[in-house]
Amino acid sequence: TYLMQLNMHDLTPEQSKQTAKFLHTISDFERLGDHAVNISRVAQEFMKNHDFSDAAKYELHVLESALKELLDLTINSFVDEDLVNAAKVEPLRELIGIYATI
């Protein structure tokens, strides 16, 4: 709401650009949070009725570590406005997607 109100005032082009970036980012992080909640609920229900093998537990651990790294990289790239590390986000996301489907 605050950013929307800011957008109604006379802003410099740079301020407008930053405000737009923050609005998009808030939406992306909110969607990410919604996905995390949904995944957590499904996982809790699944674990009530199933037991994982040691190999499956290891694979889930690897996937969890990769997702944490991806999230840290994403947040840090945004906060630091680091385009070099931001460019690493999509390839890592693709690699995780490939690993998750194997």
Side-chain angles (χ1 to χ4, degrees), residues 31-43:
R31 190 172 64 236
L32 180 63
D34 291 343
H35 288 312
V37 168
N38 292 337
I39 290 169
S40 176
R41 286 182 185 149
V42 169

Side-chain angles (χ1 to χ4, degrees), residues 9 19 26-27 29-31 44-45 55 73 75 78 88 93 97:
H9 294 86
T19 302
I26 288 169
S27 174
F29 280 116
E30 184 176 1
R31 190 172 64 236
Q44 288 174 352
E45 283 300 315
L73 183 62
I75 291 170
F78 175 77
K88 298 175 184 176
R93 187 205 61 80

Side-chain angles (χ1 to χ4, degrees), residues 14-65:
E14 180 61 28
Q15 290 170 329
S16 292
K17 182 180 173 184
Q18 285 289 88
T19 302
K21 180 175 86 169
F22 290 141
L23 284 169
H24 287 289
T25 302
I26 288 169
S27 174
D28 291 343
F29 280 116
E30 184 176 1
R31 190 172 64 236
L32 180 63
D34 291 343
H35 288 312
V37 168
N38 292 337
I39 290 169
S40 176
R41 286 182 185 149
V42 169
Q44 288 174 352
E45 283 300 315
F46 186 85
M47 289 178 63
K48 286 180 184 177
N49 302 313
H50 299 84
D51 192 26
F52 292 110
S53 68
D54 288 340
K57 288 177 186 176
Y58 173 78
E59 289 183 24
L60 285 172
H61 175 72
V62 169
L63 191 56
E64 178 185 12
S65 296

Side-chain angles (χ1 to χ4, degrees), residues 1-2 7 24 34 47 61-62 69 72 74:
T1 302
Y2 176 73
N7 226 13
H24 287 289
D34 291 343
M47 289 178 63
H61 175 72
V62 169
E69 180 181 341
D72 287 343
T74 301

